[in-house]
Amino acid sequence: MARILLNDVRKSYAGNQVIHGITMEIADGEFVVIVGPSGCGKSTLLRMVAGLEAISAGTVEIGGKVVNELEPRQRDIAMVFQNYALYPHMSVRENMAYGLKIARLPKAEIEARVAKAATMLELEPYLDRKPRALSGGQRQRVAMGRALVREPAALLLDEPLSNLDAKLRVQMRLQIKEMHLRTGQTTLYVTHDQVEAMTLADRLIVMNKGVAEQIATPLEVYERPASEFVAGFIGSPAMNIFTISTAEGQVTLPGGAILPLPGLPRGGDLRLGLRPEHLRPAQPGEAAIPVLLRSVERLGADAFGYGMIDGSEVPLVLRLPGTSGLARGDRVEVVPDPAHLHVFDPGSGRRIEGRTGA
């Protein structure tokens, strides 16, 4: 296990910069998830740490050693890919032991490491099977076991669950988390799935167009997103974000409704963010946001209402009780929780501080 230090790491292709100066420290034993949409640079960043992509500028340290010029095999890391990359003619046991045999470890030590990893990943019944006789989840566990037996300084995973169905992804998330708690392995994990990111990570790197928009714990990213991009990307359903006009503690909403929201950081136009769960039904006579429902999605204990702010084409999502009788065409009025307002600059998209809950 080892600390990983990224210092102003950059990547360019043919003069076009795709990773824009990322700096952070991943502590020994920490589980950090790089999350973002397709094309944001998350896998490129991981591959630079692994040595599969050259670093254009900056440095990567693993265990106190700058590794920019080292080959992947010299970096004391192990990597798990989304396509498993198992040898089809070898058994599970042989796949897991192969790297150790190449390293010429004693046979007894190889057997002990394979047995330990197989027990941790619940693979003992499958050690003599070939990959073709395994399910997708079992193959992924074998790929992880093959990485773990090497006892590397750091474990790197590139979207390892993307080929699995929804049920298997849930099971594998739990196993990965349990594995990390047992091993304390320094782990860098890439995914586009925010649920994976939120449930697995000690900290998140939220990427957007090669920029680390925010590096923080999952709870901090959810409760205090650093930018409008982060606010819209993290959370399901996504945060409601729309333009408001402010003056003297009064907010003019899309559609023209007026709402008293004292304490906003400045006058003029702002971008206001409201999560669906932070909108409550208005009391009679209370100033509120009027919403015309277009559909209601019922999920059992909860339901989500999808509509428009009345008098506008601005969408708004509400979290409702699962027993709610609301339906398409209904008009409802809701009030935001003043402790959970998110305010963003309309130009830069960055969070504006300076009020309770913001």
Side-chain angles (χ1 to χ4, degrees), residues 145-221:
R146 185 176 56 187
L148 287 174
V149 296
R150 294 176 52 193
E151 299 181 357
L155 182 62
L156 312 183
L157 301 99
D158 190 5
E159 303 206 46
L161 309 185
S162 61
N163 289 338
L164 305 180
D165 63 36
K167 184 177 180 180
L168 274 178
R169 282 202 300 271
V170 173
Q171 293 173 354
M172 284 301 299
R173 281 205 312 268
L174 294 173
Q175 288 191 331
I176 289 172
K177 190 67 175 179
E178 180 66 24
M179 177 194 73
H180 180 256
L181 292 173
R182 290 179 184 176
T183 64
Q185 191 83 50
T186 305
T187 303
L188 193 56
Y189 185 107
V190 162
T191 183
H192 65 273
D193 186 323
Q194 59 166 291
V195 176
E196 281 181 34
M198 295 291 286
T199 54
L200 289 173
D202 295 323
R203 282 191 297 160
L204 299 177
I205 308 175
V206 185
M207 296 281 293
N208 178 33
K209 297 180 180 178
V211 174
E213 292 267 344
Q214 187 169 5
I215 301 174
T217 66
L219 185 60
E220 184 178 355
V221 168

Side-chain angles (χ1 to χ4, degrees), residues 250-253 256-260 287-288:
Q250 300 286 326
V251 169
T252 302
L253 302 170
I258 304 295
L259 193 67

Side-chain angles (χ1 to χ4, degrees), residues 3 53 56 137 186 213 232 244 263 268 355:
R3 182 188 72 158
E53 291 276 359
S56 301
T186 305
E213 292 267 344
I244 58 172
R355 60 160 287 110

